[in-house]
Amino acid sequence: MPPFAQFRLWLREGPRAERWAAVLATAVVLTLLAFALVPVATSSSSTGFPVSGPTSVVVPPGPGSHHHNAGPTSPAQTTPTTPALPGGPTTPPGTAVSGGRSATTPGSRTPERATSGHPAKPGRSAKPASDCAGATLTSGDGITPTEVKVDVATVQLAGAIGDAAFNIPSDQNGIIEAIANYINHHGGVACGRKLAVKIYQVNPLDSNNQQSSCLKMAQDKPIAVINLGSYVTPVSQQCFISNHVPLETNTSPGATQAREAYPYLFSPIASSEEQVRDGILGAAAHGFFEAPKFKKLAIIEDSCLPSANAEIAKDLASVGVKSSQIVVYTLSCELIGSPTQILAAVIKAHAAGASTVFLASTVFNNENYVGYANQQHWYPTWLTSDYGTTTTGNGASKWTKNFNGAIAITSTRSGELNSGIHSPRELLCNKILLANKLPGIKNENTDDGASSFCDLIFFLAQAINNDGVNPSPTSMVEHLGTMGRFRSAYDGDSVWNRPGQLTGGSFQREIEYHSYCRCWKTVTAFGPAY
């Protein structure tokens, strides 16, 4: 697969950290395609990391960590993980919403009263004392009686300009150390063991650097590697799978890819197929495919992940949208599609009388499609999903004004900060960062990366705790389906209750784009994923 095709496949499968890694590729393409529509980011620059090999950080308990609380009402909300729950995702996260339409009644367009609940209180990060009392703590791959070894691959890309363009946190190492330090000070993992974190700075555009760093991490024999956007393609991730090192990634794996890699690839976010399914079935449940307003649906997709395209077609048939009501344009597999192709897709859909468009390509292609529609004075109803990172805060500033009122179905917490909603985990992560003199989580359009870092580290700590007194790399992944509820800062809550479960995305909600703030806001409360 050509390099740009690989990056394209990555971008549409990932939630957010993976898009950071595309900045250099994007810059090159935009230079060659000067007439591309993607606006230039205007956020301030930050400091990038030099390529200097791995940084070994064994994080001890830090002073003052015990002062961090997840929320203003109860210290119990500050603890980072939850005990396993026996049931499935029957109770969605009860975060407050500022108003909107019903999330549960198909076809409903009736405003619902705002709710003001909060997610249930998380449990403790450490194993219960009853499990650890008298237990013999043994050693194995990634674990000793006193510590659990975790490697983290951070993004080393294009320095300050590249970091600012894709909102890469200015101190990735500091964020990682601060979160690990907090966990260690609040009981550690696996009966009091400390997380021993080793950080590798990896250039996702340099395959040689990726490979050499992967092999060094494999030699470390950690319990798992956390991928914060350095390994963005299935090809690059294969090194960990071949060397039997579990990789936790916040790229969105295809369901088939995750199954074939078992038990060496997992993610707290939804799979790509689940993302588009939520988008189509959620739109149908909210009445977007009902006459008389709905007449014909245009779909913009590409050839990078055929299983996602097949999922869209299957879901549309299941909700009664006829093939005669659908106009599909499939782009080639590229990070930024040909402007000629995208314009042709707009003209085809407009000429066919499409009243509604479902955007199912990369955020770059989706933005260009909307921009060309504006030039053609065509203003359909816009629908989309998490697929292609379309719902992220970072991409929200780049839509043209005709995107105002667009609807998306998301399994993440996108839109919450913009709606004045704070989850207990987001509040906790913010307090940890501020206490360590790091930038906090203030603006969703710029700080979603820090929230995602927090989610990945807390998720792995919960997975380690779930695997008994003496966890191992493979058994930790094999037992994810018994972990119960994971509560997130940004990447989305999930319930882990199925054998062989490798991805999250247990809940979904409707969000809406507002041009006045260039941001997403919540419309409904969370309901179970489709």
Side-chain angles (χ1 to χ4, degrees):
M1 183 181 293
F4 280 126
Q6 292 178 351
F7 273 98
R8 173 60 192 86
L9 175 60
W10 150 64
L11 183 65
R12 70 177 303 162
E13 291 183 2
R16 64 192 44 79
E18 71 273 24
R19 70 185 182 278
W20 306 334
V23 61
L24 279 186
T26 303
V28 171
V29 173
L30 290 177
T31 300
L32 298 176
L33 302 175
F35 48 88
L37 296 180
V38 181
V40 177
T42 58
S43 55
S44 59
S45 63
S46 56
T47 303
F49 292 116
V51 178
S52 58
T55 301
S56 181
V57 184
V58 179
V59 188
S65 297
H66 61 283
H67 295 301
H68 311 315
N69 294 323
T73 58
S74 172
Q77 291 180 328
T78 71
T79 49
T81 61
T82 66
L85 303 181
T90 56
T91 304
T95 50
V97 294
S98 57
R101 293 183 288 274
S102 170
T104 57
T105 305
S108 173
R109 305 288 290 174
T110 305
E112 67 176 4
R113 186 175 302 173
T115 61
S116 58
H118 294 283
K121 298 175 183 179
R124 294 187 58 80
S125 66
K127 299 295 294 182
S130 58
D131 292 350
C132 299
T136 300
L137 305 187
T138 61
S139 297
D141 285 352
I143 189 168
T144 73
T146 60
E147 67 180 23
V148 176
K149 300 176 183 177
V150 176
D151 283 0
V152 181
T154 62
V155 176
Q156 183 280 317
L157 198 56
I161 294 176
D163 290 351
F166 280 78
N167 292 335
I168 298 174
S170 59
D171 191 348
Q172 298 175 85
N173 289 30
I175 294 172
I176 295 162
E177 293 167 19
I179 302 301
N181 189 31
Y182 177 88
I183 292 172
N184 287 342
H185 193 79
H186 288 73
V189 294
C191 296
R193 293 176 172 95
K194 305 302 181 186
L195 289 176
V197 179
K198 190 173 184 178
I199 299 172
Y200 285 78
Q201 297 157 1
V202 183
N203 185 346
L205 301 176
D206 184 343
S207 59
N208 291 328
N209 180 245
Q210 287 179 317
Q211 182 72 9
S212 62
S213 298
C214 169
L215 294 176
K216 290 176 182 177
M217 285 184 265
Q219 291 174 356
D220 293 338
K221 295 185 176 181
I223 198 165
V225 170
I226 296 177
N227 174 32
L228 298 174
S230 301
Y231 294 86
V232 297
T233 68
V235 172
S236 64
Q237 294 168 359
Q238 185 60 42
C239 172
F240 296 96
I241 297 165
S242 298
N243 284 280
H244 296 172
V245 178
L247 182 68
E248 181 196 3
T249 179
N250 67 345
T251 63
S252 176
T256 299
Q257 178 197 9
R259 286 195 300 268
E260 290 178 349
Y262 186 83
Y264 300 110
L265 182 65
F266 62 101
S267 176
I269 66 173
S271 71
S272 298
E273 294 85 349
E274 290 169 328
Q275 289 174 341
V276 295
R277 180 166 62 247
D278 281 346
I280 294 296
L281 298 185
H286 294 299
F288 286 101
F289 301 136
E290 295 179 359
K293 185 175 181 180
F294 173 75
K295 297 177 178 62
K296 187 171 288 188
L297 176 69
I299 302 171
I300 178 70
E301 59 186 29
D302 54 51
S303 59
C304 290
L305 193 61
S307 61
N309 298 342
E311 181 68 40
I312 293 172
K314 181 184 74 174
D315 295 333
L316 286 171
S318 73
V319 298
V321 179
K322 300 176 182 178
S323 59
S324 61
Q325 296 176 290
I326 302 172
V327 182
V328 179
Y329 196 101
T330 305
L331 301 172
S332 56
C333 183
E334 294 178 304
L335 175 63
I336 300 178
S338 160
T340 302
Q341 278 193 343
I342 297 174
L343 178 58
V346 170
I347 292 173
K348 177 182 178 180
H350 191 190
S355 60
T356 307
V357 176
F358 185 70
L359 301 168
S361 187
T362 70
V363 64
F364 297 108
N365 291 340
N366 294 341
E367 288 168 350
N368 282 349
Y369 187 99
V370 172
Y372 277 125
N374 188 52
Q375 291 181 6
Q376 298 294 312
H377 304 290
W378 177 46
Y379 308 108
T381 297
W382 300 108
L383 303 175
T384 190
S385 70
D386 293 327
Y387 195 49
T389 70
T390 303
T391 59
T392 61
N394 175 255
S397 63
K398 301 178 177 69
W399 297 100
T400 51
K401 288 186 177 180
N402 59 314
F403 198 61
N404 184 55
I407 293 297
I409 307 298
T410 182
S411 62
T412 74
R413 292 187 176 274
S414 177
E416 285 198 350
L417 286 185
N418 299 323
S419 304
I421 300 168
H422 298 268
S423 72
R425 180 55 54 81
E426 177 263 320
L427 290 171
L428 171 60
C429 294
N430 184 51
K431 288 186 177 183
I432 293 172
L433 299 183
L434 293 176
N436 284 272
K437 303 186 184 305
L438 295 166
I441 302 169
K442 302 173 184 176
N443 186 308
E444 188 172 311
N445 288 14
T446 58
D447 300 331
D448 59 354
S451 300
S452 187
F453 276 38
C454 184
D455 280 341
L456 288 171
I457 298 169
F458 272 121
F459 183 90
L460 183 61
Q462 184 170 337
I464 292 169
N465 280 335
N466 180 65
D467 194 32
V469 172
N470 294 303
S472 76
T474 55
S475 65
M476 178 189 66
V477 180
E478 291 166 351
H479 294 154
L480 285 173
T482 66
M483 193 171 69
R485 183 70 166 267
F486 173 71
R487 304 182 187 277
S488 69
Y490 188 89
D491 287 342
D493 287 16
S494 49
V495 176
W496 295 74
N497 63 348
R498 305 189 310 272
Q501 185 174 351
L502 297 169
T503 56
S506 302
F507 306 98
Q508 52 74 35
R509 66 147 49 116
E510 181 183 345
I511 58 176
E512 183 175 6
Y513 184 79
H514 296 268
S515 291
Y516 78 90
C517 63
R518 291 185 175 271
C519 71
W520 294 97
K521 290 192 175 185
T522 61
V523 175
T524 65
F526 278 112
Y530 293 96

